[in-house]
């Protein structure tokens, strides 16, 4: 019984956090999720996995309970009071449409695409600048890496 109560408390905490609070949770930006297939065994694990999928900068694959799959970029999520009134929005890799999928429809989730933001924090970018400056380089310009 205590485990069920803890799970409900965790779900409520996730729902009550603002996007800014979730964005600054310690450890989120350092997690390597590429290739991860989370277990969606509980409501709390579904909410947590989809929050991580929202932060992920690569494609994910969502398998619906009807067996259909959607692979693409998860660009938005709306959390409500239950799985049924929470949804993710995905741009499929093969189309230029935007799909909305209810959390309640999701049977499985996989982080299938390369995380294009892995290791590319602002701090890493600034560190490269200062390393070049310390090495005596002139006219330093840091440019973003080209995406594949």
């Amino acid at each position: 019984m205590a485990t069920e109560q803890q799970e409900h408390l965790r779900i409520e905490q996730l729902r009550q956090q603002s996007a800014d609070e979730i964005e600054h949770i310690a450890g989120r930006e350092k997690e390597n999720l590429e290739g991860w297939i989370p277990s969606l065994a509980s409501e709390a694990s579904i909410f947590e996995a989809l929050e991580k999928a929202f932060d992920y900068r690569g494609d994910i694959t969502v398998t619906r309970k009807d067996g259909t799959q959607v692979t693409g970029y998860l660009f938005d999520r709306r959390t409500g009071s239950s799985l049924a009134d929470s949804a993710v929005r995905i741009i499929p890799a093969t189309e230029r449409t935007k799909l909305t999928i209810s959390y309640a429809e999701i049977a499985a989730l996989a982080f299938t695409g390369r995380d294009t933001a892995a290791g590319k924090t602002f701090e890493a970018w600034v560190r490269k600048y200062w390393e070049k400056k310390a090495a005596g380089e002139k006219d330093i310009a840091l440019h973003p890496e080209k995406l594949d």
Side-chain angles (χ1 to χ4, degrees):
M1 190 69 157
T3 305
E4 187 175 319
Q5 288 174 340
Q6 289 171 341
E7 183 175 320
H8 286 292
L9 179 62
R10 183 167 168 76
I11 291 168
E12 279 307 308
Q13 288 171 339
L14 281 172
R15 286 188 190 129
Q16 292 174 6
Q17 290 176 323
S18 71
D20 288 337
E21 289 171 324
I22 291 170
E23 183 176 333
H24 292 97
I25 291 174
R28 289 185 83 79
E29 63 277 357
K30 297 184 183 197
E31 220 170 347
N32 181 6
L33 299 173
E34 196 171 314
W36 182 49
I37 301 173
S39 169
L40 304 181
S42 67
E43 243 185 70
S45 63
I46 294 169
F47 277 101
E48 186 174 349
L50 290 168
E51 281 302 318
K52 289 180 182 186
F54 175 71
D55 291 338
Y56 191 65
R57 296 296 174 246
D59 283 351
I60 62 160
T61 299
V62 172
T63 303
R64 293 179 176 138
K65 289 182 179 175
D66 68 4
T68 59
Q69 290 189 328
V70 177
T71 298
Y73 180 69
L74 190 155
F75 71 95
D76 189 19
R77 86 292 191 214
R78 308 254 163 83
T79 53
S81 59
S82 68
L83 294 177
D85 62 354
S86 299
V88 292
R89 296 177 64 207
I90 298 174
I91 300 172
T94 58
E95 307 169 25
R96 289 293 152 221
T97 60
K98 296 175 184 173
L99 298 177
T100 301
I101 302 172
S102 169
Y103 283 25
E105 292 178 51
I106 298 173
L109 177 68
F111 292 73
T112 51
R114 184 176 71 88
D115 185 354
T116 59
K120 297 177 184 163
T121 63
F122 178 72
E123 291 79 12
W125 187 80
V126 170
R127 185 174 45 252
K128 286 180 189 176
Y129 171 84
W130 287 110
E131 287 171 358
K132 288 182 177 188
K133 187 167 179 116
E137 290 185 37
K138 303 285 183 203
D139 299 321
I140 303 168
L142 293 176
H143 302 282
E145 293 180 21
K146 294 194 185 304
L147 298 175
D148 294 337

